[in-house]
Structure formats: structure tokens, C-alpha cells
């Protein structure tokens, strides 16, 4: 018993670090999964009001609450930033409809979450960098810019290959490799949304669209 307690004491910090790593990878995997659930529902003709509500609730839990915990809030300002991030996800899901088919208004929260989680893993949890990244993602999520519905599993073959590669990287690659992959993916969508990720048949929204 004494040896067991001593082992647990010496490895408590390591255990928490591993839990952080697992949580980060799980969040990245959830980001990938979020891009697939809608496509599966449409393919199986199984869309429903309940499914849409469940999807929004799952997104809010994973990309809002769970991701905000990575900010490691320890004071008032940290707590306010975490709350702002969660509320940005809530606003993005509930109050920013675009009114244009297959078009989002404001950055979809899975991409913000994927970028933040990748930053967390690659920087070994650097709090300052995480806070800056989170603040920028809040601005992207609540702005009124347009982003295309990427429709990854319903579009070009190369996009399906990118998605499959992401799943393989998260499940079977070392954490740094998976993080770089997801960081590049999310950054490409944020910086070049229509140049890379829009469907060929999807029209660009009018600058005056409301």
C-alpha cells in the first residue's frame, strides 16, 4: 500500500498531463466528427428537428464548454475570457443565421476549437498564446463575415481524402503530427474559406446580404 501511494504521489502530475493530452486529442477528433454527422444524416435521409437540436447541444458542449477549459482560467480576466469564448460559441450557434443556403455567418465553432486545441498541444499549454488565440477566435465567431459550408463528405474527392487523413492522423499519429495536420486544416478554412473549401456550385454571397 505504501509503494502504491508513493507511486501515485510521484505520478499525479504526469497523470494530469496525460489527461490534458487525451482531452485535447478528443476535442480535435470531435471537431472532425462534427463535420461528418450532418453529412451522414443527409445521406441517410435522417434529418430531424431533434437531431438538429442534439447537434447544437453537442457542439456547444464540445466546442464551447470543453474547449474553454483549455484556457486554464485562474483569475477574473481569465474567467471573463473563458466566458466570452463560451458565449461566442452560443451566439454563433443560436443567433447568427446567414439566410443563405450552405453558408455560415461567423466562423463555425469546430474550426475555432480545432485551432485552439492544436495550439494547446503544440505549445505545451502556453497560457499566453492560448489566450491570444482564443480572443482572436471569439472575434472571428461573432463577426458578420460569410464562410462556406464545406460539405467535406459530399464534395470533391480530394476533400474526402483530407478528411480521412485527419481521422487517421488523430487516431494513429503522434500528438504533434495530428496537431499540425488539424492546425493546417483549420487555418486554411479560416484564411481561405472560399478559395479552398467552398463547393464549386456554391455561389459567393452578396456583400450586401443580410
Amino acid at each position: 500500500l505504501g509503494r502504491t501511494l508513493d507511486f501515485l504521489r510521484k505520478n499525479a502530475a504526469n497523470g494530469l498531463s496525460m489527461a490534458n493530452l487525451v482531452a485535447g486529442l478528443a476535442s480535435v477528433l470531435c471537431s472532425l466528427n462534427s463535420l461528418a454527422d450532418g453529412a451522414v444524416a443527409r445521406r441517410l435521409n435522417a434529418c430531424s428537428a431533434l437531431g438538429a437540436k442534439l447537434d447544437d447541444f453537442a457542439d456547444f458542449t464540445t466546442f464551447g464548454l470543453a474547449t474553454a477549459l483549455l484556457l486554464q482560467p485562474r483569475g477574473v480576466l481569465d474567467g471573463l475570457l473563458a466566458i466570452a469564448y463560451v458565449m461566442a460559441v452560443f451566439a454563433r450557434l443560436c443567433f447568427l443565421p446567414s439566410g443563405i443556403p450552405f453558408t455560415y455567418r461567423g466562423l463555425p465553432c469546430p474550426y475555432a476549437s480545432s485551432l485552439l486545441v492544436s495550439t494547446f498541444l503544440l505549445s505545451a499549454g502556453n497560457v499566453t498564446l492560448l489566450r491570444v488565440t482564443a480572443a482572436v477566435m471569439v472575434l472571428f465567431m461573432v463577426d458578420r463575415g460569410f464562410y462556406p459550408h464545406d460539405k467535406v463528405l459530399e464534395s470533391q474527392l480530394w476533400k474526402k481524402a483530407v478528411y480521412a487523413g485527419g481521422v487517421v492522423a488523430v487516431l494513429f499519429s503522434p500528438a504533434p503530427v495530428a496537431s499540425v495536420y488539424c492546425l493546417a486544416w483549420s487555418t486554411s478554412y479560416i484564411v481561405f474559406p472560399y478559395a479552398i473549401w467552398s463547393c464549386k456550385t456554391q455561389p459567393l454571397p452578396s456583400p450586401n446580404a443580410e
Side-chain angles (χ1 to χ4, degrees):
L1 179 61
R3 289 183 177 179
T4 301
L5 292 176
D6 186 57
F7 175 82
L8 293 175
R9 179 183 60 80
K10 290 181 178 179
N11 290 277
N14 293 335
L16 290 175
S17 297
M18 288 299 299
N20 263 338
L21 176 61
V22 171
L25 288 174
S27 293
V28 173
L29 184 58
C30 286
S31 298
L32 298 174
N33 177 69
S34 174
L35 303 175
D37 51 9
V40 171
R42 288 187 291 273
R43 288 288 186 182
L44 298 178
N45 194 27
C47 299
S48 66
L50 175 61
K53 292 182 182 298
L54 287 174
D55 183 57
D56 283 346
F57 181 74
D59 285 351
F60 176 72
T61 302
T62 301
F63 307 125
L65 298 176
T67 303
L69 292 177
L70 296 179
L71 299 175
Q72 307 168 54
R74 296 189 179 95
V76 175
L77 292 180
D78 298 343
L80 289 176
L81 178 59
I83 292 172
Y85 189 91
V86 172
M87 294 307 297
V89 172
F90 180 77
R92 170 63 192 77
L93 292 171
C94 298
F95 302 117
L96 290 177
S98 68
I100 302 173
F102 303 114
T103 302
Y104 300 116
R105 187 187 292 275
L107 177 68
C109 49
Y111 292 97
S113 178
S114 180
L115 185 65
L116 192 61
V117 172
S118 299
T119 301
F120 172 84
L121 294 173
L122 291 173
S123 68
N126 184 289
V127 177
T128 301
L129 183 57
L130 286 172
R131 290 169 184 166
V132 172
T133 303
V136 173
M137 290 300 97
V138 167
L139 296 177
F140 271 97
M141 283 190 285
V142 301
D143 76 1
R144 297 179 64 81
F146 292 103
Y147 292 85
H149 190 306
D150 48 40
K151 299 183 69 178
V152 171
L153 299 186
E154 304 167 55
S155 57
Q156 297 100 316
L157 180 61
W158 71 267
K159 293 181 183 177
K160 298 178 183 180
V162 169
Y163 178 86
V167 174
V168 171
V170 170
L171 292 178
F172 302 108
S173 298
V177 174
S179 300
V180 169
Y181 194 103
C182 293
L183 182 64
W185 184 359
S186 55
T187 301
S188 70
Y189 180 85
I190 294 169
V191 179
F192 306 109
Y194 282 97
I196 298 178
W197 291 107
S198 64
C199 293
K200 290 182 177 179
T201 58
Q202 178 180 324
L204 292 174
S206 168
N208 299 320
E210 292 293 339

